Amino acid sequence: MEPLGRSRINSLTRPRHGGQLSLRVCCGWLLSVASFSAMSVEEAYRAIPHRYTPFESKSVKMSPKDAAALQGFFRLLNLAIVERVQAQTWFQSNGKRDVAFPNYQRSTDGLIAQLEALTIPDSLKAVHRDVIDALRDQKAYFEEWQRAVHRGEPFRYPPGASPHHPRVLSSSQKLQQAYGRLIQLYPQETERTKQAFFDHLCALDFI
């Protein structure tokens, strides 16, 4: 396992927006964090660590309909990032820090349900589906880890392991695909808005 807090974010060079994103080079694993019952979005990004660029719907060039949809979409993604960070911390501390795993399961199921209930324009439905499927992959990964813990067995694919767990790879590929779709849909957006796309999807990525 990679030591906690070792991150590749400092070596990231963000690709030109017309090219294919390699999210997997950008996201390191967690810093040790203090025990608490709830974590803010900003704290979750710092714990990864990862830059956080909020999506500002009032500053975009896309249609108001798309901007409103993405505002709600990214708000839920931020909550999913918090849940994932807390789950990782709980596993990596052997259940001594942060929120217990069953809470992650319930919260993630709820977030997936909220994402599915969003009113999404047709142009964004593929992005929407990619991210929901990526969250399901992540949840399945953690559930497999939990089963190994219950059996008293070492988990074969902890953070930093090579090769990566198939669910982790699948999740990463879907998040990369979602980013690519957003850049193709909104090439006219400012660099800051494109950075917000990147930061949200990269922070949700495992690799």
Side-chain angles (χ1 to χ4, degrees), residues 2 5-14 22-29 31 45-52 195 198-199 202-203 207:
E2 290 181 2
R6 179 176 295 176
S7 173
R8 288 163 287 183
I9 187 66
N10 292 330
S11 64
L12 170 64
T13 300
R14 187 158 56 93
S22 179
L23 280 175
R24 66 187 57 193
V25 302
C26 77
C27 296
W29 287 87
L31 290 172
Y45 275 82
R46 286 197 299 268
I48 293 171
H50 199 285
R51 171 181 44 208
Y52 174 40
Q195 188 67 60
F198 180 79
D199 287 354
C202 185
I207 299 176

Side-chain angles (χ1 to χ4, degrees), residues 75-128:
R75 179 184 65 82
L76 293 174
L77 258 61
N78 276 335
L79 297 178
I81 290 164
V82 170
E83 294 301 327
R84 194 260 289 179
V85 168
Q86 292 184 145
Q88 286 175 222
T89 305
W90 188 80
F91 276 111
Q92 292 176 326
S93 67
N94 295 317
K96 296 176 182 177
R97 290 178 176 167
D98 231 303
V99 178
F101 179 67
N103 291 333
Y104 163 82
Q105 290 177 298
R106 288 191 295 270
S107 296
T108 300
D109 283 341
L111 287 170
I112 289 171
Q114 290 181 66
L115 282 165
E116 290 182 324
L118 287 177
T119 300
I120 298 293
D122 288 344
S123 60
L124 283 167
K125 284 185 177 177
V127 173
H128 182 242

